[in-house]
Amino acid sequence: MDAKETEAMLRGQVAIWQNLFGFADSMALKCAVELGIADIIHSHGRPITLDQIPASINGSSSPDISSLARIMRLLVRRDIFAAHQPSDSGDTLYELTHSSRWLVKESEYNLAPMVTMENHPDLLAPWHYFGQCIKDGGMPFKKAHGMEVWEMASKNPQFNTLFNDAMACTNKIILQAIVAAYQDGFRSIGSLVDVGGGIGEAVAQIVKANPNIRGINFDLPHVVATAPAYPGVEHINGSMFESIPAADAVFMKWVLHDWGDEDCVKILKNCRKAIPEKLGKLIIIESVLQQEGNGLFDDIAYIFDLLMFAHATELEWKNLLAASGFPRYNIIKIPTIPSIIEAFPK
């Protein structure tokens, strides 16, 4: 091999090693969240030494400082935390970065619950079944646990809390981006039904920012039964496979990726029936994979595609919408993982 080929092969080897040990970043991040390191630094209001961290860790009787130093060393290299040597050559000081500020649990917007959930053994187990699913079909979570994630959540209160906390933290972040980016789109709507809206947090936030909208939260009876009252929001129970309450627009956030194409067409056709012929519209919040995308969240969208085990490129969305009576659509990129897919019956 010539020098150029040798260099390329060496870089290829490095890429394999980096991907092979990709889990190390995730595990170090999980450790930081479990120990509350971002919260500890934040509570001091200034950079602190390594020795100051264990003193604030709950239940820490004999902390291993050398192990903590190794975790922090990697997280500093990944820019999760920052470290600097003071001018008086004292102990290294650690501080928050723009990344670790997203791990401070008392912040209104934080991703700590998502880090905890996605690194839980029950959520990691399905990733080991990808090869089997490709060979035999089926869904990884069910192969790993013998049940769907929703069933596990209904049977296991601890898992349910873990799951709900993670969904709540991501919902806040995503909805903030949606409400800010889609102001003009919401302004023209008199009524909005959130299909699969859970306990109604999403539609409530949209209505709060857009008082012109009459909100409808639509989900299964046992879900709606626990929904609190929100100003301007009506809770209606039912099945999206049977019918959807009438409204000017239908809103669906991370619903369709749970279903195959045939079921998606059934849901979307019911959405089509629920909205007016001329001025109605469908607002879908889902990841849209961009083959040549180089935006901030485009690479993460591919990881989420595996996470959801969904395979929806823009072309597939176009075909799915057309088959359901929505020949016209726009894709609006927003500063978060999913995009807004705005579809129209005419």
Side-chain angles (χ1 to χ4, degrees), residues 5-21:
E5 179 69 9
T6 299
E7 174 68 15
M9 286 298 294
L10 188 62
R11 291 184 179 277
Q13 181 192 156
V14 170
I16 295 299
W17 282 112
Q18 287 175 330
N19 284 279
L20 170 63
F21 290 114

Side-chain angles (χ1 to χ4, degrees), residues 224-278:
V224 172
T226 63
Y230 298 103
V233 175
E234 177 186 5
H235 298 293
I236 297 179
N237 68 66
S239 169
M240 60 188 174
F241 290 103
E242 296 174 5
S243 66
I244 291 169
D248 294 337
V250 171
F251 180 87
M252 284 192 295
K253 182 173 68 64
W254 277 348
V255 170
L256 296 177
H257 66 248
D258 287 327
W259 306 97
D261 285 359
E262 187 177 333
D263 285 329
C264 282
V265 169
K266 288 180 184 177
I267 297 167
L268 289 170
K269 283 185 175 179
N270 283 336
C271 291
R272 174 66 185 81
K273 294 174 185 175
I275 60 175
E277 177 73 25
K278 292 185 177 180

Side-chain angles (χ1 to χ4, degrees), residues 30 33-34 112-124 141 149 152-153 156-170:
K30 176 192 176 186
V33 170
E34 284 180 339
M114 192 68 171
V115 173
T116 301
M117 184 190 78
E118 290 301 340
N119 288 288
H120 188 279
D122 286 343
L123 272 297
L124 289 174
F141 194 94
V149 63
M152 178 176 278
N156 185 327
Q158 286 184 318
F159 181 83
N160 188 50
T161 299
L162 184 78
F163 185 84
N164 287 340
D165 288 348
M167 293 302 100
C169 83
T170 53

Side-chain angles (χ1 to χ4, degrees), residues 196-251:
I199 61 171
E201 292 171 317
V203 70
Q205 192 166 330
I206 292 170
V207 169
K208 183 178 180 181
N210 301 273
N212 55 291
I213 294 176
R214 178 177 65 86
I216 301 168
N217 177 54
F218 181 68
D219 213 313
L220 295 169
H222 75 274
V223 177
V224 172
T226 63
Y230 298 103
V233 175
E234 177 186 5
H235 298 293
I236 297 179
N237 68 66
S239 169
M240 60 188 174
F241 290 103
E242 296 174 5
S243 66
I244 291 169
D248 294 337
V250 171
F251 180 87

Side-chain angles (χ1 to χ4, degrees), residues 179-199:
V179 169
Y182 200 61
Q183 289 179 349
D184 291 342
F186 286 130
R187 196 172 290 128
S188 62
I189 297 172
S191 58
L192 177 74
V193 55
D194 184 359
V195 175
I199 61 171

Side-chain angles (χ1 to χ4, degrees), residues 55-344:
S56 300
I57 295 174
N58 292 330
S60 177
S61 56
S62 54
D64 185 336
I65 298 295
S66 63
S67 295
L68 176 61
R70 289 182 170 188
I71 295 293
M72 293 301 288
R73 192 157 53 213
L74 178 61
L75 292 175
V76 167
R77 186 168 179 83
R78 297 292 185 261
D79 294 321
I80 303 299
F81 296 101
H84 67 272
Q85 197 78 24
S87 56
D88 60 4
S89 298
D91 292 336
T92 300
L93 295 174
Y94 295 87
E95 60 185 318
L96 300 178
T97 65
H98 286 96
S99 296
S100 46
R101 287 174 190 168
W102 286 94
L103 304 178
V104 176
K105 294 169 189 171
E106 70 176 44
S107 298
E108 183 180 2
Y109 299 102
N110 82 84
L111 286 168
M114 192 68 171
V115 173
T116 301
M117 184 190 78
E118 290 301 340
N119 288 288
H120 188 279
D122 286 343
L123 272 297
L124 289 174
W127 293 81
H128 294 279
Y129 287 82
F130 277 13
Q132 188 176 335
C133 289
I134 291 169
K135 289 190 291 184
D136 306 330
M139 298 303 292
F141 194 94
K142 191 165 186 179
K143 285 189 182 293
H145 300 292
M147 65 183 79
E148 303 290 355
V149 63
W150 319 113
E151 188 178 355
M152 178 176 278
S154 69
K155 292 180 177 180
N156 185 327
Q158 286 184 318
F159 181 83
N160 188 50
T161 299
L162 184 78
F163 185 84
N164 287 340
D165 288 348
M167 293 302 100
C169 83
T170 53
N171 280 342
K172 277 186 177 181
I173 295 165
I174 291 168
L175 278 168
Q176 182 192 41
I178 292 168
V179 169
Y182 200 61
Q183 289 179 349
D184 291 342
F186 286 130
R187 196 172 290 128
S188 62
I189 297 172
S191 58
L192 177 74
V193 55
D194 184 359
V195 175
I199 61 171
E201 292 171 317
V203 70
Q205 192 166 330
I206 292 170
V207 169
K208 183 178 180 181
N210 301 273
N212 55 291
I213 294 176
R214 178 177 65 86
I216 301 168
N217 177 54
F218 181 68
D219 213 313
L220 295 169
H222 75 274
V223 177
V224 172
T226 63
Y230 298 103
V233 175
E234 177 186 5
H235 298 293
I236 297 179
N237 68 66
S239 169
M240 60 188 174
F241 290 103
E242 296 174 5
S243 66
I244 291 169
D248 294 337
V250 171
F251 180 87
M252 284 192 295
K253 182 173 68 64
W254 277 348
V255 170
L256 296 177
H257 66 248
D258 287 327
W259 306 97
D261 285 359
E262 187 177 333
D263 285 329
C264 282
V265 169
K266 288 180 184 177
I267 297 167
L268 289 170
K269 283 185 175 179
N270 283 336
C271 291
R272 174 66 185 81
K273 294 174 185 175
I275 60 175
E277 177 73 25
K278 292 185 177 180
L279 300 176
K281 64 179 170 181
L282 170 64
I283 305 163
I284 302 171
I285 310 300
E286 291 279 0
S287 294
V288 178
L289 303 186
Q290 306 286 344
Q291 295 292 341
E292 304 299 327
N294 57 3
L296 277 175
F297 290 93
D298 283 341
D299 191 62
I300 301 170
Y302 276 82
I303 297 171
F304 256 71
D305 183 54
L306 284 181
L307 180 69
M308 303 298 185
F309 218 63
H311 301 279
T313 63
E314 180 173 342
L315 177 62
E316 288 166 336
W317 278 115
K318 178 181 179 180
N319 295 339
L320 196 63
L321 290 167
S324 308
F326 292 94
R328 188 165 61 91
Y329 73 97
N330 298 316
I331 292 179
I332 304 167
K333 298 200 73 174
I334 56 178
T336 186
I337 294 167
S339 298
I340 298 172
I341 304 169
E342 185 184 49
F344 306 89

